[in-house]
Amino acid sequence: MGETKFHFTVCHARLPAASHKGNESWLHVSTDFALLSWLLGAVLWLHTPNQQEHKPPLPGPGQTPGPKVQTSANDTAASFRTETCSLIPEAWRFDCYPERGVVVTRELCEARNCCFIPASTAFSSASRPSGKNGIPWCFYPSEFPSYSLVSLNDTLLGQKATLMKEVKTYYPGDILTIEVEMLNHKFFSIKITDPSSSRFEVPISVPTVTNKTESPDYIIELSKQPFGLVVKRRSTGAVLLNTTVAPLFYADQFLQFSTSLPTQFIYGLGEHRSTFLHDVHWNTLTMWARDVPPTEQTNLYGAHPFYLAMEDGGNAHGFFLLNSNAMDVALQPTPALTWRTIGGILDFYIFLGPDPGSVVQQYVDVVGYPAMPVYWALGYHLCRWGYYTSNSTWEVVKSMRNYGIPQDVQWNDIDYMDKFMDFTYESKKFDTLPELVRDLHAHNQRYVMILDPGISSTQPEGSYWPFDEGVKRGVFIKDAEGKTLIGKVWPGLTAYPDFSDEVTHEWWYDNLQMFHDKVAFDGLWIDMNEPSNFLDGSTSGCPTNNLENPPYTPGVLGGLLRAKTLCATAQQKQSIHYNMHSLYGLMEAKASRIVAKRPFVISRSTFPSQGMYSGHWLGDNRSQWKDLYTSIAGMLTFNLLGIPLVGADVCGFSEETQEELCVRWTQLGAFYPFTRNHNAISMKPQDPTAFSPLARTAMKEALLLRYSLFPVLYTLFHHAHVHGHTVARPIMFEFPKDVKAYGIDKQFMWGKSLLVTPVLDPGVVYVDGYFPEGLWYDYYTVRLCERYAYIIKGEELQLNAPLDKINLHLREGSIIPTQAPNLTLWVSTGQPLHLVSALSQDGSASGDLFWDDGETIDTYETNQYAYIIFSIAQVLTFIYFVEYSNLPCVFAPAYFI
């Protein structure tokens, strides 16, 4: 067969010889026996030491490599191949036949030149269904053909190399260019492209490299044949990336590479319902935005190809693949990980931390820092599907006021619309909606409404401006024939705005402005924006081609890319829907930020950089105790992903809630960064006023506690906006060397000071909580100057947890600002500030406060704020530093308790 050439660019600093064990070259190449004769003829610049340390280990004494398959004694070649394959340990077997819906036989496997060995712990038949999580029976042999490095040249920002592949594999289109660009000394990027033709690249802004880094924190080693990339942490030698473990694929609709992992502690990779710490035992996670209630082993509303890994000794690193196409991420217990996507390019970043908080900071430095929320976004939100009328909505608001329960925001679901059509309200049942909103504003409260992207396409011509004007301006997504694609959602047959087109943004803005003149809403809830469709594709179906039915389809729910969404062949301004699908929610959020003050947008579908434009709620959960527990993992994961304004539907969305569950959920929800009670149509009311006096009081106290801690929460969001910090964070972020904390997702922290230990089980009056080493104060007693504290060496304690209490502890060395709570944050923030301190054992403590007017955009960037640092140097000495920057509001005095 003919030769296929590749190019790749490596951008990094040339490394000193001393860092490579005295060798004269920085380039390391594997020198196993099969390549020995080739390497002897290589040019001197490729001479490097052996890299067997990066290869799969051979079975040790007493270790079983896996069962062997009997072959004919006369078939020497087959016998040798089987012997070679059997030497690969089960954990190091990388799937050669991941397609779903196929029973993989020996014949199918060997047609791909791969090894076929039934796994010892898998099925006992001679074939197995592919696409199922488990030890692969069909896997790559060590000699599977891949790319070779044939040239390497310096560039202004690093290096550029050429790869060549002589033998095509079972997917065509093997042409590529690789660029490794240094962004700074903590992280760098690698871009793999096809020099013969342009390919789709994700249209989000990332930093531009302008200077080569001369002293990186990492060491790069290249293997020539097969081509591979190894990245090590310079300080420890830990191997963070090693792509030599399996072949690289770069075909038109199949891009794949694998890497070993230095750890089994892997986090991120949203959006999925799972524990916070991912299971690496043959666990495949699929990414392709989909409208489906949170379900295990299912692709959910958003796609976030980023993971954070904890290493030995407490270091952390991150990996981000900037790709929006449908993909699978396969974890296996080597530990190792395989990225498998069906379009675009391979454009990835490695973040070296070295602590987990720094990894997140470096990640958002690439995708964008989260927006500073408007102050009332951090209050209590109340919603339901099934208020039916504006007056019934109003009655709930009045009841909340009468009981003295805090509430900042009232929402409406699709009930308020006329025939479920955007930018309308039902003239009879919701005739008093404008008056309701005016009443909310008079009480310093706010109103948020839902919008779905689907625009009704069946109204009489001239009667529905959004559709008529949209057709006139050409804002709707087209089908493969260039006609407006028609799907179906709540209003019936609908067209879908193409938010990748700036013309659509202008049309969307005009619609919002005209409706705002009728109903003065304060924020937007953008739902159904995966985008969701009650049909598969469109009313006229979808074409039959390799976009709708690609050679490889990741494990998407429904088995088809068009399942309950649009045709993959649908045409958008920037590309086809095949490439743009998972970006839809992000682009709608960008278009929805229209108000002069800080906008408030909550989106169901998300993608990297979403935090710049919206928050997120965790979708249509259920009123079950398990959903209460899994909401913590969801909240922590989205904080890792740069979307700190996140929370779950308090008390659960579907199914009937229970009083005890709703109390416990309200207590936990009081510590979600975004807290909203929401439930489904036909379910009983579950707002706090709907329950017994005991339950109602417990919920009220939990919300008042949240409101009293608003200065803490607001300051945390400032640090998220400016520095890329998390707001709600896992315990391990503050104690990265404490391995016991790595799997904890039943507790979490607000910033570095407050430890939250909720009750997550029914019928209990105690809860077990883990306390890392240090001095921990019970928040409720320290606030009263009793200062009851635990001196801990890293252990689990049983805590009293009656129905009216959520356990909260203050870490030693902390000072936090609080305020007397009230019914709204507007009133609360006018109260005097109090300081609560938790002294360390040497008598010191510190804390801070960020304060501004709560709603003006870019107050930090324009110096319209105050930033105060509090410090106690000794027990009897209290110091605070105040940084005023043209503060446009009056500060209340601070009191020290």
Side-chain angles (χ1 to χ4, degrees), residues 94 96 114 152 162 217 433 456 512 518 781:
F94 291 85
C96 178
C114 289
L152 183 69
T162 301
D217 288 348
L433 183 57
S456 174
L512 289 170
K518 301 174 183 177
T781 57

Side-chain angles (χ1 to χ4, degrees), residues 570-586:
Q571 301 178 48
Q572 297 185 234
K573 175 72 172 181
Q574 297 189 24
S575 188
I576 52 176
H577 197 70
Y578 182 91
N579 296 322
M580 301 291 294
H581 171 79
S582 291
L583 295 165
Y584 196 87
L586 169 64

Side-chain angles (χ1 to χ4, degrees), residues 821-871:
N822 213 293
L823 298 186
T824 67
L825 287 175
W826 178 259
V827 178
S828 296
T829 54
Q831 303 301 308
L833 286 165
H834 298 254
L835 299 176
V836 180
S837 66
L839 302 180
S840 62
Q841 296 183 57
D842 65 3
S844 64
S846 63
D848 62 349
L849 170 70
F850 176 84
W851 211 244
D852 60 12
D853 69 0
E855 56 187 10
T856 300
I857 297 174
D858 293 337
T859 57
Y860 177 77
E861 291 78 2
T862 57
N863 296 320
Q864 300 291 317
Y865 68 94
Y867 182 61
I868 307 171
I869 298 175
F870 311 106
S871 177

Side-chain angles (χ1 to χ4, degrees), residues 534-546:
F534 295 166
L535 308 174
D536 289 346
S538 75
T539 55
S540 57
C542 303
T544 301
N545 56 32
N546 62 354

